[in-house]
Amino acid sequence: VALGYISPSAGAAQGVVKSSAGLTKSALNNLGVYFRFTAGDEPRAREAWTEALRLDPSYASPLLNLARLAKDRGDIAGASRLLLRAAASDLPHAESTVERWAAEFEKSDRPAATRLLRDAHLAHPNSELYRRDYALILARGNRCREAVDIIAPLERSASIESVNAAAAVEVCLDRPDRVRDLLTRSLTLDPNQPRVRDALSSIPR
């Protein structure tokens, strides 16, 4: 009871959510981890995580665990949906997790990775990371005009990562003057960028 695996009797404590089996949502999540990684029983792991979500549909941990199950099965669309639900439910390090999964998906399925980053950007329009990652993957797919439209608001950002991404997208449209302006601004924000300085010096006039 003290560890949260079994709920106390009714009225003994306040605010403890329990299932019909008497387990808290965190206990069910941990039970799923046991089934998945120790017992090697994926169906029972899925059942435990699904039950945890029945108790709390916004519980990030079982959402992420179910997303990993889907990813391991090759269900990228399902994994992406669950990952974004987890990201919207206070998942720790949500942005970097979405970024990492998108990079992994892009190796075998760029359209799926693009959809993941698009949906992340639409759900969190104020996130500079999602906006620039979405623009960059569009540029890598030669969807240059769309990429520029997405990243344009970041050209005046105080983040060198965002300004450098905007410059990279302008390369996609072959506009050296815009690239030069953006890299110059990036160096104004942080002069200690040898690669940016080299890139700037290589742009023909």
Side-chain angles (χ1 to χ4, degrees), residues 139 148 151 155 165-176 178-179 182:
V148 168
I151 209 164
E155 292 183 355
V169 170
E170 288 289 353
V171 170
C172 183
L173 280 180
D174 192 22
R175 300 199 295 198
R178 292 294 300 132
V179 176
L182 288 164

Side-chain angles (χ1 to χ4, degrees), residues 108-127:
S108 59
D109 192 340
R110 177 176 287 163
T114 302
R115 287 191 293 271
L116 171 58
L117 292 173
R118 177 202 62 197
D119 291 346
H121 164 61
L122 292 175
H124 306 276
N126 294 325
S127 167

Side-chain angles (χ1 to χ4, degrees), residues 70-194:
K71 181 161 70 79
D72 289 348
R73 294 197 313 270
D75 179 10
I76 294 179
S80 296
R81 286 193 298 271
L82 288 162
L83 175 61
L84 290 176
R85 281 182 61 190
S89 302
D90 297 321
L91 176 71
H93 313 295
E95 288 186 331
S96 59
T97 302
V98 171
E99 182 178 50
R100 186 173 65 253
W101 283 38
E104 182 179 340
F105 293 161
E106 189 178 5
K107 295 175 183 177
S108 59
D109 192 340
R110 177 176 287 163
T114 302
R115 287 191 293 271
L116 171 58
L117 292 173
R118 177 202 62 197
D119 291 346
H121 164 61
L122 292 175
H124 306 276
N126 294 325
S127 167
E128 290 200 13
L129 184 145
Y130 289 148
R131 181 179 290 273
R132 67 176 180 251
D133 280 359
Y134 179 38
L136 286 168
I137 200 171
L138 287 174
R140 289 194 293 273
N142 293 318
R143 296 166 63 180
C144 305
R145 174 51 60 187
E146 294 174 77
V148 168
D149 290 344
I150 291 294
I151 209 164
L154 300 187
E155 292 183 355
R156 304 305 300 173
S157 171
S159 163
I160 59 171
E161 290 84 1
S162 294
V163 176
N164 290 341
V169 170
E170 288 289 353
V171 170
C172 183
L173 280 180
D174 192 22
R175 300 199 295 198
D177 289 345
R178 292 294 300 132
V179 176
R180 185 182 299 107
D181 290 346
L182 288 164
L183 294 183
T184 299
R185 182 166 188 277
S186 176
L187 288 172
T188 300
L189 293 172
D190 181 4
N192 186 28
Q193 299 184 80

Side-chain angles (χ1 to χ4, degrees), residues 13 15 34 42 45 79 87-88 125 127 133 196:
Y34 165 79
E42 290 190 8
S127 167
D133 280 359
V196 171

